[in-house]
Amino acid sequence: MENTVVYTNMNYLPVSKDSLNQAAQILRNGGLVAFPTETVYGLGADAFNAAALAKIFEAKNRPHFDPLIIHIASLDTLEKVADLSILTNETRQKIFTLAENLWPGPLSIILPKNKKIPGIATAGLETAAVRLPDHETARELISLSTGAVAAPSANPFGSLSPTRAEHVRDKLGDKIDMILDGGATRIGLESTVIDITGDSNSASVKILRPGGTPKEAIEKLIGQVEDGAPVSDVSGGLVSPGQLKSHYAPHTPITALNKEEIIKKAYEKDSAFLFFDDQSKNAWILAQKPPKNAILRVLSETGRILEAASRFFETLHELDNGKILRIFVQLAPQEGLGIAINDRISHASTKK
Ligand code: TXA
Ligand code: MG
């Protein structure tokens, strides 16, 4: 399905030394650049520049109470964005264990923020989510700019996350200064967000958003981790507002079904069926005898969770074309990245 992209717009550019330099310049000047990471495309602004950060909320039409993830390019810059001095030695040790083993990678760690990070980046919270992405282009861009780039996913608020530069162009193209096209993202789901700051006062370490780093990988390193439901902080705000119910939703209504349910689900005209693997699809075809033109998609023919995750948003973007009345989506096995896929399915399916 690779189509040849024709770059007619000066601001929609393939990744190159030149475009990276231009993009870094835009960031330094307070502009917005969409760039690839291993998870999804980010909409970046200089993390130290409040006016630039405000543009992110404007472009995304994002409520100001939703804090951004600060991206860094090396562990050396961690202290420029976070203030680890107020944490206990034990918590600091856990943070370094996570950082050394899982960075670069799809893990955002909530840390006390450095004063230099303006409040608008963190929605007034005293903490900031920090991530070191596993993507050369992202890291180069960050290094060439001020060393810290705040970036939410590059989609309008509440809609599907972008896994290709084209997704960004189609939804936000006229609102940002440059889009760096680095092709499809490898993981295709956002990072796992973990809160370790409660560790010192007996509270536990919590996963606020399941994502590209499986819980098991974290527990292997630092012991048991809780699944954080969307909880309120003292000011009444959501601790991880990304867990708002209508997040990640396409326009088309979605019905989530487990394997047994989807196999029993009768074909409906003008609907699409998104299966986890070929085996489920074939069982359904055998049971329901759908018409030849039924719209069927499979996330991973052989049922590989990584492949399924990487195709999830992309397939929903494709099916969310206004012609389909409902999408029936099969839940993934509830393990590893399957937990993150199911989280996205359930958020998408509660909208309407
Ligand atoms: O993979 C990703 O994380 C992508 C790429 C671009 O890095 N970014 C991304 O950002 O998904 P965004 O803004 O769409 O999601 C950030 C999530 C939200 O759920 C937000 O509420 C949570 O992180 N978050 C950010 N800062 C936080 C904080 N200080 N405390 C609690 N949650 C926070
Ligand atoms: Mg997002």
Side-chain angles (χ1 to χ4, degrees):
M1 229 182 39
E2 286 305 326
N3 30 17
T4 320
V5 183
V6 184
Y7 295 96
T8 48
N9 186 327
M10 285 288 288
N11 297 330
Y12 182 79
L13 296 172
V15 176
S16 69
K17 198 161 171 265
D18 272 0
S19 62
L20 271 168
N21 278 320
Q22 269 186 58
Q25 195 58 44
I26 291 173
L27 289 176
R28 286 180 170 279
N29 292 338
L32 298 183
V33 173
F35 62 97
T37 79
E38 79 280 30
T39 57
V40 299
Y41 274 73
L43 177 57
D46 176 7
F48 301 111
N49 181 339
L53 294 167
K55 292 184 191 166
I56 291 182
F57 294 98
E58 194 177 272
K60 277 186 68 103
N61 206 0
R62 179 173 179 144
H64 281 219
F65 54 73
D66 207 356
L68 308 173
I69 294 175
I70 317 268
H71 298 69
I72 54 175
S74 83
L75 256 183
D76 306 339
T77 27
L78 183 59
E79 307 264 356
K80 275 175 82 178
V81 300
D83 178 6
L84 304 185
S85 67
I86 61 171
L87 299 172
T88 61
N89 279 338
E90 196 194 339
T91 304
R92 261 203 305 272
Q93 196 46 53
K94 283 188 186 170
I95 289 164
F96 282 115
T97 303
L98 290 176
E100 276 159 15
N101 289 281
L102 299 174
W103 279 355
L107 179 70
S108 298
I109 309 178
I110 309 286
L111 300 170
K113 84 174 183 72
N114 185 305
K115 286 194 190 63
K116 289 196 203 111
I117 300 292
I120 186 170
T122 63
L125 295 173
E126 285 308 310
T127 54
V130 184
R131 171 163 121 76
L132 205 169
D134 187 15
H135 197 292
E136 201 67 43
T137 300
R139 286 201 305 271
E140 268 183 55
L141 176 66
I142 298 162
S143 305
L144 289 168
S145 67
T146 60
V149 173
S153 48
N155 52 311
F157 178 69
S159 71
L160 290 173
S161 288
T163 57
R164 289 178 176 272
E166 292 90 325
H167 299 154
V168 185
R169 182 192 56 196
D170 294 350
K171 298 270 173 66
L172 289 177
D174 55 339
K175 300 201 169 84
I176 51 193
D177 300 300
M178 186 186 280
I179 300 171
L180 279 177
D181 183 357
T185 60
R186 180 168 58 81
I187 294 179
L189 288 179
E190 300 90 338
S191 62
T192 300
V193 179
I194 186 171
D195 186 357
I196 193 161
T197 54
D199 187 44
S200 44
N201 37 17
S202 83
S204 53
V205 179
K206 287 201 180 82
I207 291 190
L208 300 181
R209 176 178 74 181
T213 299
K215 181 180 177 185
E216 297 87 323
I218 295 169
E219 291 193 321
K220 233 190 239 170
L221 294 166
I222 59 166
Q224 209 195 330
V225 168
E226 271 183 43
D227 295 313
V231 256
S232 293
D233 68 9
V234 276
S235 61
L238 286 165
V239 169
S240 198
Q243 293 302 310
L244 284 174
K245 278 262 181 273
S246 68
H247 243 67
Y248 318 110
H251 298 292
T252 317
I254 283 200
T255 302
L257 300 168
N258 64 31
K259 185 172 174 176
E260 292 72 45
E261 290 167 337
I262 204 163
I263 290 170
K264 284 192 216 134
K265 180 78 211 156
Y267 171 74
E268 285 179 23
K269 198 168 164 294
D270 297 326
S271 64
F273 281 74
L274 176 52
F275 295 96
F276 179 71
D277 55 9
D278 265 351
Q279 200 213 13
S280 309
K281 182 183 90 172
N282 293 337
W284 178 80
I285 290 177
L286 205 65
Q288 305 303 337
K289 315 229 167 3
K292 280 239 154 27
N293 64 355
I295 301 164
L296 311 181
R297 296 288 182 279
V298 174
L299 285 181
S300 169
E301 287 76 12
T302 52
R304 287 188 302 128
I305 289 188
L306 275 182
E307 182 177 49
S310 74
R311 287 191 190 159
F312 177 69
F313 278 128
E314 166 148 22
T315 311
L316 285 186
H317 273 288
E318 189 232 325
L319 293 175
D320 195 23
N321 57 13
K323 293 181 202 135
I324 292 168
L325 295 185
R326 180 167 292 279
I327 308 170
F328 294 99
V329 184
Q330 181 184 352
L331 292 158
Q334 185 70 4
E335 61 192 34
L337 275 199
I339 294 172
I341 300 176
N342 292 342
D343 171 78
R344 305 307 185 268
I345 295 175
S346 77
H347 280 93
S349 61
T350 45
K351 194 174 184 187
K352 291 157 211 153

